[in-house]
Amino acid sequence: MFGLAARPALTRSDDQVPGWAVTGRDGPVGYIASTWEIARSVGYSGRPLDVLVAVDLEGRIADARLMRHSEPILTLGLSDEDISRFVGGFAGTDLTAQEGAGAGPDMPDVISRATVSTGVIRDSILRTARTLAIARGLLPGGGIDRVKYTSRSWDDLIAEGAIARLTVTLDEARAQLRGAKVPVPEGDAPFIDLYAALADPPTIGRNILGQQQYTRAVGALAPGETVLFVASRGVHSHRGFEWRSTGVFDRLTVVQNGTRIALTDPGYTRIDGLAAPDAPDVKERSLFALPGEGFDPTRPFTLELTAARPAQAGGEVRFTSDLPYQLPSTYITEPPAGPAPLWQAQWQDKRLQVVSVAAMMIALTLILLFQESLVRRPRLWLRLRLGFLSLTLVWLGWGLNGQLSVVQVVAFAQSLLSGFRWETFLIEPVIFTLWAGVALGILFWGRGVFCGWLCPFGALQELMNTAARRLGIPQIAVPHALHERLWIIKYTLFVAILALSFYSMTYALILAEAEPFKTAISMRMLRAWPFVAFVLVLLAAGLFIERFYCRYLCPLGAGLAIPAKLKVFDWLHRRPQCGRECRLCETKCTVGAIDPIGRINPNECVLCLRCQVVMNDDQTCPVLRRRARKSAPAGD
């Protein structure tokens, strides 16, 4: 990954940013990290996505290697080699760029037809590389600001949290040390008045210590170390006396993320006076060097103070007080701008497409809300329906690639189990917008909102069948008993794909090829001949049985029918005579969604409104014709 002639040495580090340090013959050459370990990258399939990212000492991505994925991109005619080339294209990315990593023109383009998968890969690579570079000191920022200086008083530093304070009164200590051989005196005076601060930032250290003491203290630090200032007054000493023999200040302990850091004599410096004119008259003043390994000065930590006294009954009594500390953000340098999430750029670039999809869904909402007026005008209904289906096929399907798939349902289910991330689904604005509208539509009208109006492949089938009817191609009426039994196929197929995805996403995607959507819509028939032949067979069957695929084979339609059980309203009207005195709507329903007793099966209905047109046509509906004859004047 670094192009070394000889095999390097790898040193594993399991700190907050895990990874490997790479050392060649001439010394360190860079670092390597896993996107799964650092960014917890989860692909569109809902399964872990792992890329090894190498960063050199100049803050550039040296290389990136795809290690593991379970993405549905292979079902779109792309290979692992295509994705590996995309991943390798990030080599040379400058993480120190002022405009932010990933903003330059040399970035590899997101692969068409695999926007979501490659977008997730892109974001995880850039986020992991940036995090690794900051943690290893390759990028400026994300650490203590050791340059800026502003004059501050002691009270100013206290007020902004740069100096933390803990006060324990005599009465409080007496209660905590009850049973001591020598009781603590009573009173409100301080048992200990403790002050602590990280003194590395000049604005903190110079104002507290003065220029000379600050320079000596910081100059004595080893690389990566931080200096902790502690001062106190009262009857209790924060230093104690044991440290002179043990070398450890047992009364003070730094705790961060469960790690306890002891303060030792080698890192201790005694301070005789403070430079701040308004500093309190403290009795003890100390500086302690905190190690660079295992301690992050930019993150919160706690300074524990322990007080102990011999007990009357033998042994000792003790208590511990906590002084929390967080270095204010003003003393932490900002790292270079991070990569903007790809989904934001995608929504900005595709805002017109999103608006057009939203406009289609608004128009469909109006059609369904005001269907009573529409179905009374058969010609207007037919023209509007055929026009809308043509728009769905040409613009939404072939133009915007807005074809929903059972793969997306499986990916959503997998993401709920492996760590849901909105960013994964926001990368494709058209699909996200379409799913949002379909979800609402299912709640109000059922699955027919999508299947009957917004599915490009469904539109293709219905338009071809309409043309076939006008050309006189005979239609096959499937007996209702057989029709019901054939439904089992699509529901079984959906359950099989979903269940198989929990065992092997690869096998689930292979089974999902039962969907012809990718071949007919996403890839516009530009695919290997077996896939094209499969689509042609389905379309040919649809010439004789309208929406043959939707009726019996579509796993997506089966999947949408399950939540459609929760729909709130029933917008399709029926009469008491339907199914008893008249079965015309049953014969007119081109998808067989009306049973012999006149009930509409919402699991199969595509909301074409044809039955509503028949019911409201006084020249077609037998019930209306009968009523018209009864109301006609005698002799007419």
Side-chain angles (χ1 to χ4, degrees):
M1 299 181 79
F2 290 96
L4 301 177
R7 183 174 180 176
L10 296 179
T11 304
R12 173 70 179 180
S13 175
D14 287 312
D15 56 11
Q16 292 179 350
V17 181
W20 295 267
V22 183
T23 305
R25 288 179 176 176
D26 300 325
V29 295
Y31 302 90
I32 297 175
S34 159
T35 61
W36 170 243
E37 281 194 318
I38 293 180
R40 285 300 177 194
S41 50
V42 177
Y44 188 61
S45 63
R47 296 296 181 88
L49 190 155
D50 195 8
V51 177
L52 285 183
V53 182
V55 179
D56 62 26
L57 298 181
E58 297 179 354
R60 293 178 179 273
I61 297 179
D63 196 5
R65 300 287 179 91
L66 179 67
M67 305 304 294
R68 177 178 57 158
H69 79 88
S70 299
E71 294 301 272
I73 48 180
L74 298 182
T75 66
L76 290 173
L78 301 177
S79 65
D80 278 339
E81 288 72 22
D82 296 323
I83 305 304
S84 294
R85 281 194 296 271
F86 169 76
V87 170
F90 288 88
T93 301
D94 187 2
L95 301 173
T96 65
Q98 293 184 352
E99 66 274 15
D106 297 331
M107 292 295 295
D109 293 330
V110 171
I111 298 177
S112 176
R113 306 189 313 276
T115 305
V116 177
S117 298
T118 52
V120 171
I121 293 174
R122 169 195 179 274
D123 284 352
S124 63
I125 289 175
L126 295 178
R127 189 164 63 249
T128 298
R130 182 173 180 269
T131 302
L132 178 65
I134 292 174
R136 302 298 185 261
L138 303 179
L139 289 185
I144 294 177
D145 184 353
R146 292 181 167 87
V147 178
K148 296 179 183 177
Y149 170 76
T150 305
S151 178
R152 290 276 195 279
S153 68
W154 181 274
D155 290 338
D156 290 339
L157 295 174
I158 288 281
E160 68 181 4
I163 300 177
R165 180 182 184 184
L166 169 68
T167 301
V168 180
T169 66
L170 291 172
D171 287 340
E172 292 171 340
R174 181 183 178 88
Q176 294 286 343
L177 297 174
R178 185 179 295 108
K181 183 180 296 185
V182 179
V184 177
E186 296 180 355
D188 294 331
F191 175 74
I192 187 170
D193 196 7
L194 185 69
Y195 300 87
L198 290 181
D200 292 71
T203 299
I204 300 176
R206 283 178 55 185
N207 282 304
I208 294 176
L209 305 173
Q211 179 64 61
Q212 291 184 346
Q213 286 194 113
Y214 171 75
T215 302
R216 285 198 300 269
V218 174
L221 294 174
E225 288 186 337
T226 309
V227 61
L228 174 66
F229 165 77
V230 181
S232 67
R233 59 182 176 177
V235 300
H236 186 66
S237 168
H238 71 260
R239 290 193 298 237
F241 304 100
E242 294 294 328
W243 66 275
R244 296 182 183 277
S245 58
T246 64
V248 177
F249 292 84
D250 60 331
R251 297 187 178 187
L252 292 176
T253 305
V254 172
V255 182
Q256 186 179 63
N257 296 328
T259 302
R260 303 179 66 84
I261 302 173
L263 304 180
T264 60
D265 184 23
Y268 164 67
T269 303
R270 175 179 171 176
I271 301 297
D272 294 326
L274 302 180
D278 59 339
D281 185 17
V282 292
K283 184 171 64 175
E284 295 178 335
R285 297 154 295 274
S286 309
L287 295 179
F288 299 98
L290 297 177
E293 189 72 24
F295 178 76
D296 184 350
T298 65
R299 298 176 66 84
F301 66 91
T302 299
L303 181 63
E304 286 186 355
L305 172 70
T306 302
R309 290 199 174 189
Q312 290 180 349
E316 64 179 13
V317 290
R318 62 171 55 217
F319 75 94
T320 300
S321 299
D322 294 340
L323 176 58
Y325 187 85
Q326 167 69 71
L327 187 66
S329 60
T330 54
Y331 300 105
I332 301 174
T333 58
E334 290 294 329
L342 181 62
W343 69 267
Q344 294 181 2
Q346 289 288 94
W347 281 81
Q348 181 67 22
D349 294 342
K350 296 186 177 182
R351 57 187 182 275
L352 295 180
Q353 292 94 319
V354 170
V355 169
S356 69
V357 174
M360 288 183 64
M361 292 192 293
I362 291 173
L364 177 57
T365 301
L366 295 175
I367 290 173
L368 297 177
L369 285 176
F370 299 100
Q371 57 178 317
E372 286 84 359
S373 299
L374 177 63
V375 296
R376 290 186 175 90
R377 300 169 175 82
R379 290 186 178 180
L380 176 61
W381 162 79
L382 182 59
R383 291 173 182 174
L384 187 60
R385 176 157 180 80
L386 295 179
F388 197 99
L389 292 178
S390 300
L391 185 64
T392 295
L393 173 62
V394 177
W395 175 242
L396 183 60
W398 290 331
L400 302 183
N401 199 18
Q403 174 69 67
L404 302 188
S405 167
V406 72
V407 173
Q408 295 152 4
V409 176
V410 171
F412 182 79
Q414 290 287 343
S415 69
L416 292 178
L417 299 176
S418 59
F420 183 81
R421 296 175 63 93
W422 279 110
E423 295 86 348
T424 303
F425 299 93
L426 286 168
I427 289 177
E428 185 47 76
V430 170
I431 296 297
F432 185 88
T433 304
L434 193 56
W435 268 117
V438 169
L440 283 175
I442 287 176
L443 183 63
F444 297 141
W445 289 283
R447 77 175 183 100
V449 169
F450 170 72
C451 297
W453 296 85
L454 295 172
C455 176
F457 189 77
L460 175 61
Q461 291 180 93
E462 185 164 334
L463 291 171
M464 290 185 64
N465 183 267
T466 300
R469 289 172 181 268
R470 293 186 177 182
L471 292 174
I473 294 178
Q475 299 298 296
I476 299 175
V478 181
H480 189 75
L482 176 61
H483 180 60
E484 282 187 325
R485 285 159 176 76
L486 291 176
W487 292 343
I488 296 175
I489 299 175
K490 61 183 178 183
Y491 288 101
T492 303
L493 191 57
F494 170 73
V495 172
I497 293 172
L498 182 61
L500 194 57
S501 70
F502 294 102
Y503 170 72
S504 169
M505 196 67 183
T506 301
Y507 293 153
L509 295 177
I510 293 174
L511 185 58
E513 286 294 348
E515 281 187 336
F517 304 155
K518 292 181 286 293
T519 302
I521 305 299
S522 300
M523 302 187 71
R524 305 175 185 86
M525 306 295 275
L526 300 176
R527 209 176 180 194
W529 72 264
F531 298 101
V532 175
F534 176 60
V535 173
L536 294 178
V537 169
L538 294 178
L539 293 177
L543 297 177
F544 302 92
I545 302 175
E546 183 172 335
R547 288 182 175 258
F548 171 81
Y549 174 78
C550 299
R551 289 196 196 190
Y552 309 123
L553 300 177
C554 182
L556 177 60
L560 294 179
I562 296 174
K565 295 285 187 180
L566 301 176
K567 74 184 183 74
V568 178
F569 305 107
D570 190 2
W571 301 85
L572 300 181
H573 304 301
R574 307 300 288 149
R575 294 195 180 95
Q577 296 89 347
C578 294
R580 297 190 304 177
E581 301 176 17
C582 174
R583 296 177 58 183
L584 182 61
C585 288
E586 177 194 350
T587 61
K588 293 291 185 179
C589 180
T590 55
V591 293
I594 302 178
D595 62 21
I597 59 175
R599 296 173 303 184
I600 298 176
N601 186 342
N603 295 338
E604 304 302 320
C605 177
V606 295
L607 281 178
C608 66
L609 304 179
R610 183 175 279 106
C611 62
Q612 304 299 291
V613 172
V614 173
M615 282 181 58
N616 287 275
D617 187 354
D618 55 10
Q619 300 299 316
T620 304
C621 177
V623 176
L624 294 183
R625 293 173 60 185
R626 189 182 308 120
R627 289 178 182 175
R629 287 197 300 270
K630 289 181 179 180
S631 61
D636 285 2

